[in-house]
Amino acid sequence: MEAHGSYRGSDWSPERLMFHQNLESFADQVGLIVGLQANGKMSQDEAYAKIKKIWKGLKFTRSSLFDESTD
């Protein structure tokens, strides 16, 4: 796994930094799942289910970090 990049947004906050790190982790996990599926180690349905599960986790993280009415 690669090291996470730094958040360079002009609207920096601890919450945005945490979400940025979670987003990078999501992207890394999706890349691994896609690689496993492409190499026949996982079915398309299983890959879809895993990606859907981690997507829901990312959405939960975002909603818990940010007030949806102001973001």
Side-chain angles (χ1 to χ4, degrees):
M1 300 290 258
E2 295 182 23
H4 291 289
S6 59
Y7 179 74
R8 300 185 191 277
S10 60
D11 53 352
W12 185 93
S13 71
E15 293 83 7
R16 289 191 180 278
L17 176 63
M18 181 175 283
F19 182 70
H20 176 78
Q21 290 172 338
N22 290 341
L23 188 59
E24 284 189 345
S25 178
F26 171 79
D28 290 343
Q29 291 176 43
V30 168
L32 289 172
I33 292 168
V34 169
L36 288 170
Q37 191 280 321
N39 287 310
K41 306 289 184 188
M42 181 183 296
S43 71
Q44 287 182 345
D45 291 336
E46 187 179 2
Y48 175 80
K50 288 185 180 291
I51 292 171
K52 186 175 179 180
K53 181 179 178 181
I54 61 174
W55 173 253
K56 285 182 178 182
L58 183 65
K59 283 178 64 173
F60 175 77
T61 298
R62 186 179 190 288
S63 66
S64 67
L65 289 172
F66 302 108
D67 178 15
E68 295 296 322
S69 64
T70 61
D71 201 27

